[in-house]
Amino acid sequence: MNSHSEKKLIVRCRNGDKSAYAGLVRAYCGRVFAICLGMLGNTHDAEDIAQQALLKGFSDIGELRDSEQFGAWISRIAKNLCIDFLRRQKRRRNALLRRTATNGSSPNEYSELKAALVRLPQEHRVVLMLYYFDGRSTKNVAETLAISEAAVHARLSRARKKLRELLSAPGGS
Amino acid sequence: MENHCQNIQELMPEFITGTLPAEKADALQEHIGSCPVCAEYLRALQADDRLLGDFADAMQPVVARLEDEVTDVLNRRSSQKPVRPGSGWATISKHPIGRLAAAAVIIIAAIAGTPLFRISVKLESVAFGDVGGCLFAGNTATLISEHTAEHMLVFALLAANLAVGFGCAITIARFFQRRTVGRKSSTLFRYCIILLATYFVECLVFAAGGLTPVTSVGLAFIWGIVFGFWFRKRASVDDTLRTTFFVSLYSSFPAASFYAFIPIAQLLCGKAILSAAGGANSGIPGFFPWPMNTVLGFFAGLSIATIVFKTVITTGQVSLLMHFAEKPLKKALIAGSIIVAVCASVLVLLQLFEPPGPPTLVITGVVRDAKTRQPLAGVKVWDDGYGPEPRWDMIADACGPQPPHFGAITDSHGRYEYLTWPEHHCIKVEAPGYESERKSVYEGHLLHEFNEKEIIDFALKPE
């Protein structure tokens, strides 16, 4: 989506046009989901928070400044919601442990990968998820995380290396 | 050699992505041709890349579902436009003065509404006493006093209320869950807990708190603060307000149902509930237009007013809190909630400690011996369990035209006379050598005229 048509959509959203927001959701829901999955490491919670973030995006669209990119803005909302969520989870750490334990009990073809992702540091997980869920474009990742493309490359490399270690570690799953 | 392998391996991630410069890629290709360890590592990384790609593809249905759900929730929302500058609500919500004015309106309305509720307190106790008398007085009068009968009724009503309220809590919580953002089971649980807690507290406070609807309105303030803090930042403003609206609507039903009970109680006692004269007899002020001056009309109005009032207070307060919360300064939020909390608690405390007015009802009568029918002199008669203990030293000396307050001692003809509050309570007679006796004040005078002389005679049984 080019920035001009995006601007038009945002103006329509500000006037309460839901169909315009649907266009934005289509373009950015992969990215928002990736951030949430990266931050939370749990598909179920990620879906929930991503939904909240996208809905909040619509209700708070008036707060988006003209100079700001919608993608960066909605990413920030998602990130903040995830932080809130994790903070609440920390208080109920036991519940979280129980949940990850039950997730592991239903193996499917990605269970090993999921287990490794859960153990991956959050920063690495976020960059990997963003890369693979948002069109494998380091430019998008750079925009979302507000860092340079070179930094994205570096982070991505470290994340791959770390993931390889986790996947090849004996008893890693 | 080790070092070289490491350098090559550092390049591999970019090689996979296809962003490695050509000469470096060539060097890498050349190296892995001769180094099985590095070749193996590259294969593993490529496998990881495929796995991650496949994983992302496998998650596409989830992303698609997410997209559908978001559009779905948005479409289901009532199409309200966002606040535009210049609209009425914007003026109220965006200016600090507007916010304070909104808060003031709510509080003034609450204070102005309380006299109405005070009338209802009186009528309620009459109605409960009446029905207690009707239902239990016949065959069980010797076992159950009217007081007990009234309490039994209140608790029966409370039990029925709790059963109904708890019974539909899950259904309502499901409805909330569908209407608002969350889909998780924990949201359902949270809604259920909120509903049950508010309903339970409402019921208990109303039944145990001496039937003061004012307490119930005070509770609406407290809910406003609790919900404001609880829901804040959980969901969008729209969703929070909608949820608050439904929760407060739900939690106002116990209070409303108690009012609805009163016409039923009157009906059970065989009284007309749609005549203005009957309403006046029950103490409903005559200046209300018909049908508001009848028992049914008055209490139906009161029921609806309670629901509207409580809902408006709670929802309005949450909206105020949320507007304060939007400010970057947390100070605004704290200041706002402190103001509301102080106003609400002052209101509640005022109601709790408000004296019931001057004693205006004269109670008089004769105390006799049940067997000999002889009048008994020097017997103490006083308000039991209501108001202060009578000053017996002053009563013994009193000989002026003004009768003493809250208690008296019978004269040589067995007569007593004293002033008390025209409220529902009991009086007690105690004489040495006789069994003490209690009688209720409410049944006679409250149903006729206020300020009337109430005659209550006693016949005491010797021990």
Side-chain angles (χ1 to χ4, degrees):
Chain A
M1 187 183 306
N2 67 44
S3 68
H4 183 66
S5 62
E6 192 178 296
K7 283 257 151 57
K8 268 189 184 164
L9 284 180
I10 289 166
V11 171
R12 281 169 58 195
C13 287
R14 287 217 176 103
N15 291 328
D17 184 347
K18 288 169 198 157
S19 58
Y21 193 67
L24 289 172
V25 168
R26 197 167 308 124
Y28 288 103
C29 73
R31 184 184 292 192
V32 169
F33 180 71
I35 293 170
C36 295
L37 186 58
M39 300 250 329
L40 305 174
N42 173 320
T43 340
H44 186 255
D45 291 340
E47 198 183 339
D48 213 52
I49 303 294
Q51 193 186 2
Q52 280 187 29
L54 287 166
L55 288 173
K56 194 168 157 53
F58 182 69
S59 57
D60 291 0
I61 194 90
E63 289 170 17
L64 173 66
R65 280 186 296 273
D66 291 336
S67 56
E68 217 170 1
Q69 290 276 348
F70 180 80
W73 180 73
I74 192 86
S75 306
R76 209 171 55 234
I77 289 180
K79 203 175 126 198
N80 288 337
L81 283 178
C82 286
I83 291 170
D84 281 356
F85 181 82
L86 289 171
R87 201 176 292 149
R88 286 204 300 275
Q89 282 290 34
K90 207 181 253 174
R91 270 184 258 142
R92 299 174 292 195
R93 187 169 292 242
N94 291 336
L96 181 68
L97 286 178
R98 219 178 303 130
R99 183 177 301 166
T100 44
T102 48
N103 270 8
S105 67
S106 58
N108 59 30
E109 54 181 318
Y110 301 111
S111 58
E112 238 175 82
L113 177 67
K114 277 183 181 170
L117 284 175
V118 166
R119 292 163 62 223
L120 204 64
Q122 192 188 63
E123 185 199 16
H124 292 162
R125 199 164 56 214
V126 170
V127 79
L128 275 180
M129 291 299 108
L130 275 172
Y131 181 75
Y132 284 98
F133 276 84
D134 199 13
R136 297 196 185 205
S137 136
T138 45
K139 189 172 156 288
N140 281 355
V141 180
E143 183 197 298
T144 310
L145 296 177
I147 53 176
S148 71
E149 274 197 69
V152 172
H153 278 297
R155 278 195 201 181
L156 209 48
S157 301
R158 280 200 300 276
R160 284 182 199 282
K161 209 169 143 189
K162 185 76 192 164
L163 181 68
R164 184 84 291 268
E165 277 172 30
L166 286 171
L167 281 173
S168 61
S173 59
Chain B
M1 192 64 196
E2 273 292 301
N3 207 5
H4 186 55
C5 278
Q6 222 157 43
N7 285 342
I8 291 292
Q9 287 185 6
E10 290 292 330
L11 298 174
M12 283 179 186
E14 287 197 62
F15 177 72
I16 291 169
T17 325
T19 49
L20 199 64
E23 69 269 28
K24 283 187 180 175
D26 289 344
L28 191 146
Q29 294 273 26
E30 194 184 325
H31 174 80
I32 57 168
S34 61
C35 175
V37 180
C38 286
E40 179 55 38
Y41 189 70
L42 181 64
R43 265 197 297 280
L45 277 183
Q46 278 167 335
D48 288 353
D49 179 56
R50 272 195 303 278
L51 188 64
L52 280 165
D54 289 350
F55 175 62
D57 289 343
M59 294 308 279
Q60 279 314 307
V62 177
V63 177
R65 189 169 73 208
L66 175 68
E67 190 190 321
D68 288 346
E69 272 170 5
V70 171
T71 12
D72 213 39
V73 172
L74 278 181
N75 287 335
R76 250 189 291 124
R77 285 186 183 173
S78 58
S79 41
Q80 6 173 227
K81 291 202 168 179
V83 175
R84 283 160 159 278
S87 78
W89 176 241
T91 322
I92 293 170
S93 64
K94 293 289 173 200
H95 296 291
I97 296 169
R99 289 174 188 169
L100 285 179
V105 164
I106 292 172
I107 289 159
I108 289 168
I111 293 168
T114 47
L116 206 62
F117 285 123
R118 282 207 64 77
I119 300 171
S120 75
V121 176
K122 192 173 287 170
L123 299 183
E124 246 168 86
S125 55
V126 176
F128 278 106
D130 274 354
V131 177
C134 288
L135 293 184
F136 298 104
N139 44 2
T140 51
T142 47
L143 292 175
I144 307 168
S145 74
E146 278 161 11
H147 244 87
T148 324
E150 186 193 322
H151 284 151
M152 282 171 68
L153 267 178
V154 170
F155 283 106
L157 200 55
L158 176 70
N161 238 310
L162 286 178
V164 173
F166 282 22
C168 53
I170 292 215
T171 323
I172 298 173
R174 284 238 171 81
F175 169 73
F176 284 168
Q177 200 191 15
R178 274 203 312 277
R179 294 286 307 189
T180 56
V181 177
R183 295 169 303 102
K184 287 196 306 179
S185 52
S186 67
T187 345
L188 181 68
F189 180 70
R190 196 197 322 144
Y191 280 136
C192 261
I193 291 295
I194 294 171
L195 286 172
L196 294 185
T198 49
Y199 208 83
F200 190 66
V201 172
E202 286 276 348
C203 276
L204 273 194
V205 165
F206 204 85
L211 293 167
T212 53
V214 181
T215 336
S216 176
V217 171
L219 265 184
F221 275 106
I222 296 171
W223 295 140
I225 295 166
V226 172
F227 295 160
F229 278 107
W230 197 343
F231 295 148
R232 194 171 51 91
K233 308 236 163 173
R234 293 248 172 187
S236 70
V237 178
D238 277 5
D239 283 325
T240 305
L241 286 185
R242 194 182 299 119
T243 313
T244 311
F245 175 75
F246 284 123
V247 175
S248 45
L249 197 65
Y250 173 78
S251 65
S252 62
F253 280 125
S257 80
F258 277 89
Y259 297 132
F261 176 74
I262 292 162
I264 301 172
Q266 299 275 17
L267 209 60
L268 281 175
C269 295
K271 289 185 180 132
I273 54 169
L274 265 173
S275 83
N281 273 345
S282 304
I284 294 167
F287 55 81
F288 287 121
W290 198 88
M292 294 302 286
N293 58 358
T294 65
V295 174
L296 184 64
F298 183 79
F299 282 102
L302 205 60
S303 235
I304 294 163
T306 308
I307 295 175
V308 171
F309 210 50
K310 278 172 72 77
T311 312
V312 164
I313 288 178
T314 311
T315 317
Q317 224 181 317
V318 170
S319 83
L320 279 175
L321 277 181
M322 292 193 63
H323 279 291
F324 278 124
E326 275 175 13
K327 286 204 160 194
L329 286 172
K330 282 206 166 170
K331 279 181 194 165
L333 168 70
I334 294 165
S337 29
I338 286 175
I339 292 169
V340 178
V342 166
C343 290
S345 29
V346 164
L347 188 73
V348 172
L349 287 179
L350 270 181
Q351 289 301 328
L352 287 181
F353 295 113
E354 193 191 345
T360 50
L361 174 74
V362 177
I363 296 186
T364 182
V366 179
V367 182
R368 293 173 195 278
D369 185 312
K371 278 189 178 162
T372 62
R373 308 301 296 167
Q374 287 302 308
L376 297 169
V379 177
K380 285 177 177 177
V381 186
W382 76 97
D383 290 344
D384 187 29
Y386 195 84
E389 182 78 4
R391 298 281 308 273
W392 292 117
D393 50 338
M394 288 169 74
I395 289 168
D397 299 339
C399 46
Q402 181 72 10
H405 291 185
F406 313 123
I409 299 172
T410 53
D411 61 13
S412 54
H413 305 292
R415 282 183 56 81
Y416 72 93
E417 184 175 281
Y418 69 91
L419 270 173
T420 186
W421 286 305
E423 307 264 341
H424 150 217
H425 65 286
C426 279
I427 61 172
K428 192 173 181 179
V429 180
E430 215 172 65
Y434 291 91
E435 283 176 26
S436 60
E437 203 171 313
R438 285 170 94 239
K439 275 194 178 177
S440 161
V441 180
Y442 59 41
E443 65 217 344
H445 80 274
L446 278 175
L447 295 186
H448 302 294
E449 281 290 316
F450 293 101
N451 290 333
E452 206 196 12
K453 216 175 226 186
E454 176 72 8
I455 299 168
I456 301 177
D457 292 340
F458 287 90
L460 297 184
K461 290 185 192 122
E463 271 178 339

